Amino acid sequence: MRRGGRVPAAAYIMKKFGMSSFLQDMINFLPALMKGIQLTLIVTVGSIIFSTVLGLIWAIMRLSSNRALSLTSATIVNILRAIPILVQLFYIYFVMPELGLALTALQAAIIGLGIAYSSYQAEDFRAGIEAVDHGQTEAAQSIGMSRGLMMRRVILPQAIKIILPSYGNTMIMMLKDSSLASTITVAELSLQGKLIASSTFKNTAVFTTVALLYLVMCLPLMGLSRWLEKRMGRRR
Amino acid sequence: MAMIEFQDVHKSFGALEVLKGIDATVGKAEVVCIIGPSGSGKSTMLRCVNGLEDYQKGRVLVEGQVVDRNQKSIREVRMEVAMVFQRFNLFPHRTVLENVIEGPVYVKGENRASATERGRALLERVGLAAKADNHPQQLSGGQQQRVAIARALAMQPRAILFDEPTSALDPELVGEVLSVMRDLAKEGMTMLIVTHEIAFAREVADRVLFIDGGIIVEQGPPSEVLVRPNHPRTQDFLHRVLHPID
């Protein structure tokens, strides 16, 4: 390694501390970080489900022939998109109690991220639903389907194929943005890491581990969305 | 009582008036063909019957019941009056058999086993029993349209609307669809058909409506309207359709 030049962090560490002690640190921190992972997964899964349901409601309202519903949905989605997720989280966790609705940090994180992401989900869903051939709507109507039945049996199954790539992307973003929950005291992976780092001063070992853990959690999501796309695509 | 009745029906798309007072009836077991130049309003007229389009003035009646696409009753009308589209509009995510039984099972709440049995019989009837488990995109256009007709029949409708059912087909596939339609007509199905197939209309129709510029210019039995048309616009149209390269 040349002196004075920039060397990769890992190589520098290995040289300074020795490879084995770095790895040993990482392994030592794992059990504590696992607790964080558990919360990260709860926040992620919870907010994905919540944002999906809410996003679907916004999208269907938006596409309704009822002007009031459609306008309400458009307004909500635009407001949500214009406010930083962090501010929305603060609002739900710090302001809501003053209005008489006290939530635990975990609840606030799931609901806050769910609401914030529902706006992005809604736009993706709407685009997907609108991309389904209009002839499908007419065919469904012509056999007497109600709007709800048509959505469930004809439009949504076809829209899903169109939505899936962006949905996979959103899932990955939500996994990473679950770290925002740390700002309202949810001890998920990134906050857990920060706590360990500040008590051990082993920043590099801790945050390298944290980063790798996020990567490891993302990989199955990436694989899942690719697999779903392939599987769904085959029947098209 | 007429199966389908138009009473002074007016319809506009914005400032463009496409139907300017349509009066017509389709009796029970009658086969009526609507012919006319493109943009004349024939498809719009057809689509008013099952409420795929609304209309601003007049009335469309199905078995005496007013068709209003903004009322709940429209679903009953649609269950009574099936439709076959120019571009088939089969459900691509379902198999041929599933397409056929979708309406009976999910709209009418028919028992799946009996719907399946009936569905297979209908596919047999349109000559596609062997394709029951295929997806629509694995079929030719003519086959897809025959599935669409089976799907319409599965609703056990009182009448069927055909919106240019052979216009999207390669010429060699037109015959198989027309032959299924001919059989239906023989069995006494009430049919309202928008078509450019003059020879088919002449053979199968009880009555022909010639529509141009949003009004019915001439109507009567095909032996008159298609063979000895009175109106110069009908004569001109038929000449252009029958002798396109003159």
Side-chain angles (χ1 to χ4, degrees):
Chain A
M1 225 64 65
R2 252 176 285 129
R3 198 182 287 198
R6 291 179 63 132
V7 292
Y12 172 76
I13 288 150
M14 276 176 222
K15 199 171 177 204
K16 189 169 178 194
F17 303 106
M19 174 79 164
S20 59
S21 89
F22 182 66
L23 281 181
Q24 195 54 54
D25 283 344
M26 287 175 76
I27 291 162
N28 288 342
F29 297 145
L30 265 182
L33 289 175
M34 280 303 167
K35 280 186 207 152
I37 284 193
Q38 203 182 350
L39 277 170
T40 290
L41 288 177
I42 291 171
V43 169
T44 305
V45 171
S47 57
I48 285 177
I49 292 171
F50 191 57
S51 69
T52 302
V53 173
L54 208 55
L56 202 54
I57 293 172
W58 301 145
I60 287 173
M61 273 172 72
R62 180 70 187 270
L63 293 168
S64 160
S65 53
N66 182 325
R67 265 275 174 75
L69 281 181
S70 157
L71 207 67
T72 307
S73 157
T75 310
I76 292 173
V77 166
N78 280 330
I79 290 174
L80 291 179
R81 283 200 298 180
I83 301 172
I85 297 177
L86 208 50
V87 178
Q88 293 187 44
L89 279 180
F90 289 165
Y91 210 88
I92 286 177
Y93 189 57
F94 297 118
V95 180
M96 282 307 179
E98 292 181 16
L99 303 174
L101 182 67
L103 296 165
T104 68
L106 184 61
Q107 287 166 343
I110 290 173
I111 292 171
L113 283 169
I115 289 177
Y117 264 93
S118 73
S119 60
Y120 305 110
Q121 301 270 35
E123 289 298 277
D124 286 344
F125 293 166
R126 180 171 70 99
I129 290 169
E130 281 182 334
V132 175
D133 178 16
H134 188 62
Q136 294 292 309
T137 306
E138 296 197 334
Q141 287 175 334
S142 79
I143 56 173
M145 282 194 174
S146 64
R147 220 186 126 70
L149 189 61
M150 172 175 87
M151 272 293 164
R152 192 161 60 80
R153 295 286 307 170
V154 178
I155 306 298
L156 289 180
Q158 297 182 62
I160 283 173
K161 292 173 193 170
I162 304 165
I163 293 166
L164 222 44
S166 56
Y167 190 74
N169 197 37
T170 305
M171 286 200 297
I172 290 164
M173 304 241 295
M174 292 185 76
L175 170 64
K176 293 184 294 178
D177 277 358
S178 66
S179 58
L180 291 172
S182 63
T183 59
I184 55 170
T185 76
V186 178
E188 45 64 69
L189 181 55
S190 69
L191 180 54
Q192 201 67 255
K194 200 175 141 201
L195 294 174
I196 298 170
S198 58
S199 60
T200 62
F201 301 106
K202 295 195 168 167
N203 286 309
T204 319
V206 172
F207 288 119
T208 305
T209 315
V210 167
L212 284 174
L213 287 173
Y214 274 112
L215 182 63
V216 166
M217 286 189 286
C218 274
L219 288 175
L221 279 182
M222 291 172 182
L224 176 72
S225 65
R226 273 186 65 132
W227 179 77
L228 278 172
E229 270 175 57
K230 259 198 196 145
R231 215 195 86 142
M232 293 267 188
R234 209 184 302 147
R235 287 219 318 228
R236 241 215 128 119
Chain B
M1 187 185 1
M3 183 68 76
I4 299 168
E5 195 168 355
F6 296 82
Q7 295 174 349
D8 191 34
V9 175
H10 291 252
K11 156 85 186 168
S12 304
F13 290 110
L16 180 71
E17 194 175 27
V18 285
L19 299 180
K20 301 173 182 169
I22 298 283
D23 285 285
T25 59
V26 181
K28 213 159 272 178
E30 202 179 17
V31 177
V32 175
C33 285
I34 308 174
I35 60 167
S38 61
S40 58
K42 17 181 227 309
S43 285
T44 308
M45 178 178 165
L46 194 75
R47 290 159 58 86
C48 284
V49 178
N50 67 347
L52 288 185
E53 301 286 354
D54 57 358
Y55 48 92
Q56 278 82 45
K57 210 184 129 197
R59 295 201 303 177
V60 178
L61 305 172
V62 169
E63 292 196 301
Q65 193 187 0
V66 177
V67 177
D68 181 348
R69 76 189 303 251
N70 298 315
Q71 295 293 320
K72 273 239 161 77
S73 62
I74 191 65
R75 289 187 49 215
E76 287 155 39
V77 171
R78 286 168 175 165
M79 282 187 246
E80 299 280 303
V81 182
M83 186 160 191
V84 173
F85 298 88
Q86 182 177 352
R87 306 213 41 248
F88 332 130
N89 297 354
L90 294 176
F91 305 130
H93 55 303
R94 310 218 178 276
T95 66
V96 163
L97 182 63
E98 285 167 348
N99 264 276
V100 174
I101 67 171
E102 180 76 16
V105 172
Y106 291 93
V107 179
K108 288 184 149 180
E110 190 178 330
N111 167 294
R112 182 176 277 270
S114 81
T116 303
E117 195 177 322
R118 245 170 16 86
R120 288 195 188 278
L122 285 170
L123 287 174
E124 180 85 53
R125 185 166 156 192
V126 298
L128 290 170
K131 301 285 184 186
D133 299 321
N134 288 79
H135 276 85
Q137 53 277 34
Q138 298 168 305
L139 271 54
S140 74
Q143 291 172 330
Q144 289 192 46
Q145 194 61 298
R146 284 187 280 151
V147 174
I149 293 173
R151 177 173 70 177
L153 288 171
M155 293 300 287
Q156 299 178 303
R158 312 291 302 265
I160 305 182
L161 311 171
F162 292 85
D163 188 3
E164 302 199 29
T166 58
S167 296
L169 298 178
D170 290 338
E172 78 272 21
L173 303 176
V174 169
E176 61 191 66
V177 172
L178 292 182
S179 126
V180 169
M181 291 170 64
R182 186 184 294 119
D183 291 345
L184 280 180
K186 275 189 202 142
E187 288 160 27
M189 175 59 75
T190 308
M191 297 158 78
L192 183 57
I193 307 167
V194 172
T195 186
H196 291 294
E197 302 290 338
I198 303 298
F200 174 78
R202 191 146 71 193
E203 178 199 334
V204 174
D206 297 307
R207 243 161 1 97
V208 174
L209 312 180
F210 174 68
I211 178 170
D212 190 12
I215 54 167
I216 294 173
V217 175
E218 189 167 354
Q219 62 174 304
S223 56
E224 284 171 23
V225 178
L226 298 177
V227 182
R228 289 181 302 276
N230 288 320
H231 202 286
R233 266 146 82 188
T234 320
Q235 292 164 1
D236 180 53
F237 171 76
L238 287 173
H239 183 80
R240 278 186 287 123
V241 171
L242 297 172
H243 310 283
I245 51 173
D246 275 11

